[in-house]
Amino acid sequence: GLLVLDSPAAQEMTVEDFAALLASVQATVAKTEDIQIIVGAIARPELTAIVPKTHALHAKGNQPLF
């Protein structure tokens, strides 16, 4: 499966709601073997705390990611 979250904390979402969303996604990943999740977001502490560095790609400066 594939799940794409595009800027989930960009608008009205609070830090607490963003953390709760990520916890739910993390729990789903733990129960599902074949899922890829793409999160298009700023590297906030709530996100970087749960995503292993080996599974993250970051755009740096003005350089595009792809």
Side-chain angles (χ1 to χ4, degrees):
L2 175 65
L3 174 63
V4 178
L5 301 173
D6 183 20
S7 303
Q11 299 299 322
E12 295 84 16
M13 187 174 288
T14 65
V15 172
E16 294 80 15
D17 288 345
F18 182 59
L21 171 68
L22 293 177
S24 295
V25 170
Q26 187 178 30
T28 301
V29 169
K31 295 177 186 176
T32 308
E33 292 182 19
D34 293 330
I35 190 166
Q36 180 177 8
I37 300 173
I38 299 171
V39 181
I42 294 172
R44 295 171 51 165
E46 301 84 13
L47 184 59
T48 58
I50 64 167
V51 178
K53 291 181 189 221
T54 57
H55 290 77
L57 295 174
H58 296 270
K60 294 177 179 64
N62 292 328
Q63 297 296 316
L65 183 60
F66 301 104

